Amino acid sequence: MQKAIRGRALTYRDNPFTRSVRDCLHYEEDALLVMEAGQITGFGAADEMLPTLSPEVPITRYEDALICPGFIDCHVHYPQTEMIGAYGKQLIDWLNKYTFVTEQKFADKAYALATAEVFLKELLRAGTTTAGVFCTVHPQSVDAFFETTAKINMRTIAGKLLMDRQAPEALRDTAQSGYDDSKALMEKWHGAGRALYAVTPRFAPTSTEAQMELAGALWREYPGSYLQSHISENLSEIDWAMSLFPGRKSYADIYDHYGQLGPRAIYGHGVHFTEDDFRLFAETGTALAHCPTSNLFLGSGLFRLERAMTGTPSVRTGLATDLGGGTNFSQLVSMNEAYKTAQLNGFALNAHQAFYLATRGSAEALYLEDKIGSLGVGFEADVIVLDLKATPLLSYRTGHAESLEELLFVLMMLGDDRAVRATYVAGERVYERDVEIGGGNFSGF
Ligand code: GUN
Ligand code: ZN
């Protein structure tokens, strides 16, 4: 059944890091967006669209709001939801002390199902409609995740961690079992509804050469599938990776050697990337996920966003929370901290660039820009409604904004999950902040 929403709307057609905002931005002061069967079937100025619409189509009007494409979080760990904000130390200690303890609980499928639901509801409350998700080493953690996303027909990318060394016994697979289990999950989930499968070696230090070999092989067996991992997040991690793969020139060269770079491979971080690393990623079409709240929280360092996006050659880069290393589900907060991170590198990220990164930019990093990350006819109907008056301060401050750019900048500096009024996934309203639409504020679970 057709339905429509009406209000101020914004989307990007191209990349405002390399082209003028005028060439990229599509903004409508009063837009009508029509959805049917999971797709956007109409989008444009309301006064032009309304005469073409059958009078029976219900229209929800959103005042003091901004309709945009759902946010895309291209690197996040669902099992770490319960350990967000765990105090102390940098990456390796944090992994040992918290992460490797928490992830053991996901051997229990019921536990994984319960966490997946909490995680997905938090994503929707934050306005995130697609995510690149790390599960745990247990295949049932992947089943639990995709079974839950299937309930609301959400486009997600996820995979079973591959980890056959340098982790507690209970979290280790073997090169062969990791391959076999991942292959079975790939067969079951890749392309099932909106689910997409990612071969997921956690990072080079926790995989043997044999596992790295098989991970690259499995990814190549399934064209169109994904590969996700971590790279160059922390200086000790880089030293550790190099000591475990002594023949390799660089951290990026480890992944390259095992055939793990290319289109649809996406790596979290790249904080300490060299010029050679940026070039290798650019030339192979490999993407980076910039995770600013995590990089600041774990004291990892300052990602060089300007280099990644505007340097020659540039690297497809998306925005991500990396939760539980990251400290907030909201991509508005990621934008805020991406801005501050860039500032410390001498680059003032502007609001259009930030909103692009969280929507179309992340879609490009995932090679999904023809399906998600934009508003327009033929795109999947993943849409959010931001509330310009969500808090007394936002209301007061946005009332003083004199341009769209200022309004967006204020939203990303003051906004968070409170600023999300409604979230539509595949054309269905699955979250509404102020209205009971199912069991509480969610529908479909
Ligand atoms: N590197 C390897 N595993 C992880 C993880 O779970 N979180 C972060 N932030 N970095 C990692
Ligand atoms: Zn991560």
Side-chain angles (χ1 to χ4, degrees), residues 77 80 91 94-95 99 202-203 230 233 269 294 298 322 325:
H77 302 254
Q80 297 176 16
L91 176 64
W94 175 88
L95 282 175
T99 314
R202 174 171 222 130
F203 62 161
H230 296 86
E233 176 177 5
H269 309 297
S294 170
L298 291 173
D322 190 34

Side-chain angles (χ1 to χ4, degrees), residues 89-306:
K89 302 261 179 84
Q90 294 208 346
L91 176 64
I92 308 298
D93 289 305
W94 175 88
L95 282 175
N96 286 322
K97 190 165 168 195
Y98 303 109
T99 314
F100 289 166
V101 177
T102 301
E103 289 187 0
Q104 294 187 36
K105 301 181 192 170
F106 289 74
D108 176 358
K109 168 117 185 250
Y111 196 85
L113 278 166
T115 307
E117 183 169 329
V118 172
F119 170 83
L120 288 166
K121 286 181 170 174
E122 284 302 312
L123 281 190
L124 299 174
R125 280 188 355 89
T128 295
T129 51
T130 286
V133 178
F134 288 63
C135 303
T136 65
V137 74
H138 316 95
Q140 56 272 37
S141 74
V142 179
D143 286 332
F145 181 74
F146 280 137
E147 284 168 20
T148 313
T149 59
K151 288 186 185 173
I152 54 165
N153 199 13
M154 190 171 171
R155 184 165 287 293
T156 51
I157 301 170
K160 176 199 116 62
L161 282 186
L162 295 166
M163 193 154 52
D164 69 343
R165 66 167 165 179
Q166 307 289 350
E169 169 88 60
L171 286 184
R172 290 204 301 264
D173 53 12
T174 66
Q176 194 60 47
S177 76
Y179 173 87
D180 293 343
D181 288 344
S182 300
K183 189 173 169 107
L185 290 164
M186 178 81 84
E187 290 281 348
K188 182 169 179 185
W189 291 112
H190 186 61
R194 298 180 81 199
L196 295 165
Y197 193 79
V199 179
T200 308
R202 174 171 222 130
F203 62 161
T206 45
S207 288
T208 59
E209 291 185 37
Q211 181 158 74
M212 292 292 275
E213 203 63 79
L214 286 178
L218 177 61
W219 183 44
R220 280 190 301 280
E221 273 177 58
Y222 289 86
S225 72
Y226 286 80
L227 186 142
Q228 58 183 355
S229 190
H230 296 86
I231 192 165
S232 297
E233 176 177 5
N234 170 288
L235 292 173
S236 309
E237 170 219 7
I238 297 173
D239 289 344
W240 192 31
M242 295 313 294
S243 73
L244 289 165
F245 293 88
R248 307 270 54 97
K249 288 199 300 283
S250 66
Y251 200 163
D253 181 48
I254 299 173
Y255 293 117
D256 193 27
H257 179 76
Y258 293 103
Q260 297 183 17
L261 301 186
R264 295 184 189 76
I266 180 160
Y267 287 79
H269 309 297
V271 168
H272 302 284
F273 256 27
T274 63
E275 213 30 59
D276 282 350
D277 296 331
F278 279 118
R279 193 166 317 110
L280 183 58
F281 266 48
E283 283 166 1
T284 54
T286 311
L288 281 171
H290 174 30
C291 313
T293 73
S294 170
N295 295 159
L296 297 174
F297 180 68
L298 291 173
S300 301
L302 304 174
F303 177 68
R304 292 166 58 214
L305 182 61
E306 184 184 23

